[in-house]
Amino acid sequence: MTNRGGIGLVAAAVALTVMLAACSSSAPTADPQARSTVPPDATEVARGTVAPTTARDNRLSSPRGADVARPSISGPVTGGVRGQPFNAMPHALAEQHGYIEEEYFISGQATAYSSSGSPDREGAWVATPRSTAPYTTRLLVRRPADASRFDGTVLIEWLNVSSGQDSDVEFAQAHDELMAHGTVWVGVSAQAVGIVGGAAMAMPGLTPTPLQQWDPERYAPLAHPGDDYSYDIFSQAGAALAHPAGIDPLAGAPRRALIAAGESQSAARMVTYVDAIHPVADLYDGFLIHSRGDGGAPLDATAAALPHPTQIRADLDVPVFQFETETDILGLPFVGARQPDTDRLRTWEVAGTSHLDRHLVDYLRDEASPANLPDAPASVPPTAGDPFEAACGPVNDGPQAAVLARAVDALRAWVVDGVRPVSAPLIEVRDGAIARDGHGIALGGVRTPPVDVPRASLRGDNPTASGSVCSLFGSTRTFDGPELSRLYADHTTYVEGVRRSAAAAVQAGFLLDTDAKAFVDQAERATP
């Protein structure tokens, strides 16, 4: 694989593992292409599934985030050796959904914080300003070319940097839902490693490529004072979208809500942001914390280690959605940080999924393909095989992306319309291990056709290959003919089972109609 492909995400997740080791919602609309959630009706109000609306009609006039410094904005950025941004989305994807991609630089004075007192495990942390420093970083903006398609919500992703370079993991996994709905996605280079490089996990086939190495000309203006300032930089990135000073990256389109998101290493940053910075900044309308471990990230690099486990603080004033794969439960280990759902917190644990998976790797390979890069010196070479598949065997090809699409849709409806997502059962853990059925499939958690009507054993770990890399990729063991024959009398029986399971997942609030139909279509095409 290339140095812009899935390997970078593997390194990111492995580095995170090393660091961490040291109510019923409304149904989707009838139009499956809309991929949206209808506003709450009287029945939902009576059931108590409707929370107070948290988003304003237009964030341009909202007082939220009033104390966050407004950075200066320049762009759209053009030129450079490459002639395009790092992490540029696949051209075919942009054309398919009618999206445009632009890059902006933001500059200002960022604040570093210290914790007042010792942070507790309950997450009720108090952050106090410690110092300020100048910075310049980038925003990568993907929005509908037709402004009338913009749904008013902006998902702002803290780009993952554990591999020594920026990685747009959340967009990679959830882009179909975001773009079909008309949501704007913004990636923020919040940490120094993504700009200038730094500590990274050595991985075969990967040469970490920070921005100023990838295109020294385009990214020469960027300057980062260090990760203690990353939290305020991320706040100011949101302020640049909520209250732009001068140039508006969203071209003046009305916006209703800003939702912050981060996966894996960036999820640890999100935990700390929610517990320590959100009470100070009061900027974001909701949070997606995807594949976190049992703790947060450092607020102050010189301070004592944070407690493990760390929970999400109880006095939330905006929705927080935690999305955990099967791998994360014991592999990171999130299990110690489990806490009950509240009217402001939801956690979904999804059976048959892994921290890294086939869907993610395929997207990042497309993003990194020579067809997506201009002819330029030192351009990325063609993909040459899949070294991790060779080392680990077939990696997890489970339903993470489909369930994440529903989670994003549910969080959006929660933030904008006040409709709380459904609560989900936990993945079963017995005697320190994931409880499994006779096929090796996890019990409990969010259920989908691939785990309830299986043709393969999908796991969040890898029982046949050693090493943390393979564990993060999970595994897929395809059933042979005799095993399938024992499970299903014929192909029609299998397809009908998938159809029932998909309908049940939609009814339960864990799948969108579009993805349920895709599971059925896939079953119909499967070899009898």
Side-chain angles (χ1 to χ4, degrees):
M1 298 177 70
T2 73
N3 69 341
R4 281 285 298 112
I7 297 176
L9 266 294
V10 179
V14 173
L16 171 62
T17 302
V18 171
M19 289 188 295
L20 293 180
C23 13
S24 177
S25 71
S26 59
T29 57
D31 178 7
Q33 298 304 313
R35 305 177 69 98
S36 63
T37 303
V38 298
D41 59 22
T43 302
E44 288 165 328
V45 173
R47 283 202 306 257
T49 58
V50 176
T53 300
T54 59
R56 308 284 176 147
D57 288 339
N58 189 347
R59 287 298 256 100
L60 287 169
S61 59
S62 169
R64 297 200 63 178
D67 294 332
V68 176
R70 281 19 174 198
S72 62
I73 308 170
S74 60
V77 178
T78 58
V81 176
R82 307 280 186 166
Q84 70 174 46
F86 190 70
N87 305 110
M89 66 175 164
H91 299 319
L93 191 64
E95 294 172 0
Q96 174 188 349
H97 290 281
Y99 264 57
I100 59 175
E101 179 172 66
E102 294 174 328
E103 190 172 49
Y104 294 84
F105 292 164
I106 59 172
S107 301
Q109 289 282 328
T111 297
Y113 295 90
S114 293
S115 178
S116 178
S118 298
D120 58 35
R121 295 189 175 195
E122 287 71 39
W125 300 347
V126 178
T128 57
R130 174 165 46 91
S131 59
T132 62
Y135 78 92
T136 299
T137 194
R138 67 157 184 162
L139 307 181
L140 189 57
V141 179
R142 296 165 182 165
R143 60 183 175 87
D146 179 357
S148 68
R149 287 197 57 234
F150 176 38
D151 68 1
T153 57
V154 185
L155 187 79
I156 304 172
E157 178 174 356
W158 186 307
L159 295 174
N160 186 294
V161 298
S162 291
S163 61
Q165 60 188 33
D166 282 349
S167 296
D168 51 341
V169 189
E170 217 65 75
F171 185 84
Q173 289 284 25
H175 60 270
D176 283 336
E177 199 283 333
L178 294 171
M179 300 173 86
H181 200 277
T183 297
V184 169
W185 174 91
V186 177
V188 182
S189 294
Q191 291 179 258
V193 170
I195 296 172
V196 299
M201 181 67 69
M203 300 295 291
L206 170 69
T207 301
T209 314
L211 297 175
Q212 290 183 332
Q213 178 181 328
W214 192 77
D215 195 326
E217 180 182 313
R218 186 182 185 100
Y219 296 118
L222 302 188
H224 199 295
D227 284 357
D228 284 3
Y229 298 88
S230 63
Y231 299 100
D232 192 44
I233 289 173
F234 191 73
S235 294
Q236 292 190 33
L241 300 165
H243 309 287
I247 295 171
D248 182 358
L250 302 189
R255 59 218 71 179
R256 299 183 66 188
L258 305 183
I259 300 173
E263 189 269 355
S264 191
Q265 181 264 347
S266 298
R269 294 271 162 182
M270 284 289 101
V271 170
T272 299
Y273 192 98
V274 168
D275 282 349
I277 304 301
H278 174 68
V280 176
D282 187 30
L283 179 83
Y284 289 102
D285 301 294
F287 293 89
L288 174 62
I289 302 177
H290 180 185
S291 281
R292 60 163 289 198
D294 69 340
L299 185 64
D300 177 350
T302 65
L306 295 174
H308 287 264
T310 292
Q311 295 185 329
I312 300 300
R313 61 188 302 144
D315 58 344
L316 296 171
D317 63 346
V318 298
V320 174
F321 200 124
Q322 298 186 118
F323 186 99
E324 299 294 307
T325 71
E326 182 186 314
T327 308
D328 307 326
I329 306 307
L330 299 180
L332 294 191
F334 173 72
V335 65
R338 280 174 166 174
Q339 62 190 105
D341 284 351
T342 70
D343 62 355
R344 293 294 187 188
L345 178 68
R346 285 291 183 274
T347 302
W348 286 5
E349 299 178 358
V350 188
T353 60
S354 62
H355 194 81
L356 304 173
D357 62 13
R358 172 52 52 197
H359 183 275
L360 177 63
V361 170
D362 287 348
Y363 171 83
L364 293 173
R365 182 183 287 116
D366 290 342
E367 188 183 60
S369 70
N372 196 47
L373 295 170
D375 293 330
S379 62
V380 175
T383 296
D386 190 333
F388 292 98
E389 193 98 331
C392 302
V395 301
N396 183 280
D397 196 17
Q400 177 177 182
V403 181
L404 182 63
R406 184 63 179 97
V408 169
D409 179 73
L411 176 57
R412 184 195 296 113
W414 193 7
V415 169
V416 175
D417 299 319
V419 182
R420 297 191 190 105
V422 297
S423 290
L426 301 178
I427 289 176
E428 293 186 25
V429 177
R430 301 175 190 166
D431 300 323
I434 300 291
R436 302 185 181 279
D437 65 15
H439 302 293
I441 297 171
L443 302 175
V446 173
R447 312 298 296 182
T448 57
V451 295
D452 281 342
V453 193
R455 290 178 63 89
S457 177
L458 298 168
R459 297 176 61 121
D461 63 356
N462 193 316
T464 61
S466 62
S468 57
V469 171
C470 295
S471 294
L472 292 168
F473 262 118
S475 58
T476 297
R477 180 185 66 81
T478 303
F479 297 160
D480 59 21
E483 195 166 4
L484 287 172
S485 296
R486 288 193 296 271
L487 282 170
Y488 311 110
D490 51 35
H491 186 61
T492 299
T493 301
Y494 165 68
V495 172
E496 286 307 308
V498 169
R499 196 184 308 279
R500 287 192 299 272
S501 174
V506 170
Q507 179 65 29
F510 299 130
L511 281 183
L512 294 166
D513 283 340
T514 304
D515 294 308
K517 182 178 184 302
F519 281 126
V520 174
D521 290 346
Q522 184 181 37
E524 290 175 337
R525 294 192 303 269
T527 303

